[in-house]
Amino acid sequence: MIGRLAGFFSILAGALVAAGAFPAWVTLNANGSSSSFTGLTIIGDHRDAIVSFALAAILLLAGFVLSVRPVLAARGLGALAGIGAAIWAGLLFFSLAPQAHALIAPTGASSSTSIEIGLWITAGGGLLGLLTALTASAARARRVVQAPAPAAEAPKRSAVLGPAPDASAAPARPQQTPVSTPAAATRR
């Protein structure tokens, strides 16, 4: 049950990480002009979007496998993908946050950066990825335990017929009759 719950979290995290690449991540306000950047436009070669989509595909794959059959390999893949999503979202969030951006890449005194909805969606996917990792690592393999078959009950007798015979008593032996042989009969 926990493995299937991890699969649900993984599918949801993958969907959020993939969907978070499309809306604006940050808006840069500098010298009276405003520029918004998404996962597809923040770097010219779409590197951030490619990483987001690859991570989302792994999360979705692990989620579907965990939902169908939570085996050890799927739980391990789900846990690694969830940790990867959390690291990726944290890396993006803290590198693009206004305070961190001013420390890492100061562009001048008049620039300001604001976080937009796309980065929040990606961060939510990262948190669900961390939840996926925790639940996938806590899931155990199911053990099938078979209960012993119930003993067949002896038929009950009515009060008229009397009590049922004791089933634990040994069955009575038939009495043996002496067998006469023709030779023994002729000797007399």
Side-chain angles (χ1 to χ4, degrees), residues 2 16 34 53 62 67 80 82-83 109-110 124 131-133 135 148 168 187:
I2 293 176
L16 286 177
S34 176
F53 292 144
S67 296
L80 288 176
I83 290 171
S110 63
L131 191 59
T132 297
T135 54
S168 65
R187 285 188 201 167

Side-chain angles (χ1 to χ4, degrees), residues 4-135:
R4 286 183 171 74
L5 183 64
F8 172 73
F9 288 147
S10 181
I11 290 170
L12 195 56
L16 286 177
V17 168
F22 295 109
W25 280 0
V26 293
T27 300
L28 181 63
N29 299 318
N31 300 326
S33 66
S34 176
S35 300
S36 293
F37 297 100
T38 66
L40 298 169
T41 62
I42 200 160
I43 296 180
D45 60 355
H46 310 296
R47 189 176 321 151
D48 290 338
I50 291 170
V51 171
S52 292
F53 292 144
L55 191 58
I58 293 170
L59 281 166
L60 288 171
L61 176 70
F64 285 124
V65 172
L66 279 169
S67 296
V68 173
R69 188 167 182 112
V71 294
L72 180 64
R75 291 189 320 239
L77 179 66
L80 288 176
I83 290 171
I87 290 172
W88 177 246
L91 179 70
L92 287 176
F93 193 79
F94 289 116
S95 67
L96 297 175
Q99 295 82 8
H101 191 276
L103 291 173
I104 294 171
T107 57
S110 63
S111 67
S112 66
T113 306
S114 61
I115 297 174
E116 298 296 329
I117 190 72
L119 198 57
W120 289 108
I121 292 171
T122 304
L127 287 176
L128 280 172
L130 186 61
L131 191 59
T132 297
L134 291 173
T135 54

